[in-house]
Amino acid sequence: MDAADELLQTATPSALLTPDGVIRSLNAAMATSLGRPREQCVGHRFVDLLSEDQRVSAEGLLTHGATTKRLAMRVLEFPGTGTASVVCLVESRPVTDPSSGERLVWLHSLDPRHDLGSLLIPFQLAAKDAGLGLWMCSPGEHQVEWLGGAPALAALFPQASVPLSEVISRLHPDDRRNVRRLVHSSAAQSA
């Protein structure tokens, strides 16, 4: 078995693509999600196997996975089999096939039962749609991390991770006490 194909040994949809988005190999779960047999997927561009309204998101996901060293995530709706579509949180990340040295993009669905961090994605999407900002507070580390949303709020804190004291100092004085109480309550619950 090819070393890169070990990435496909998962129950969730998974595929290895060339940097230009052509499917090199995929597992049975991905073929089922795409609503086609494996033989009809290999050698075709991944985005061409999706519905028209999913292609822009998928293209961005693949471009990011092929051109950066960081992972990217998007919610994609796959055609599935029959009339039921399959909605997944999909991650792309660059990988190198150790046997050939070929650069590939590993595209796979995340299983929220094993990746609790991926559960933040729906909150990020909802915050963006509502015009709200989303922060994640780590009271034990005294840090707040900006997760996206309202650009006006993001401008207040140019770094992604900010000391909690700095966030509190920028709040309206009437709100500071409530935020401190909330943070201390969260810290006590996680201890």
Side-chain angles (χ1 to χ4, degrees), residues 142-144 157 162-171 176 180:
H142 303 289
Q143 290 286 318
V144 176
F157 303 96
V162 180
L164 182 57
S165 58
E166 184 178 338
V167 172
I168 290 174
S169 72
R170 293 187 183 196
L171 293 174
R176 290 178 186 161
R180 280 191 188 103

Side-chain angles (χ1 to χ4, degrees), residues 8 10-14 26-35 38 78 86 109:
L8 304 177
T10 175
T12 59
S14 184
L26 71 162
N27 66 7
M30 180 62 85
T32 300
S33 295
L34 290 169
R38 284 186 193 182
F78 293 97
V86 179
S109 173

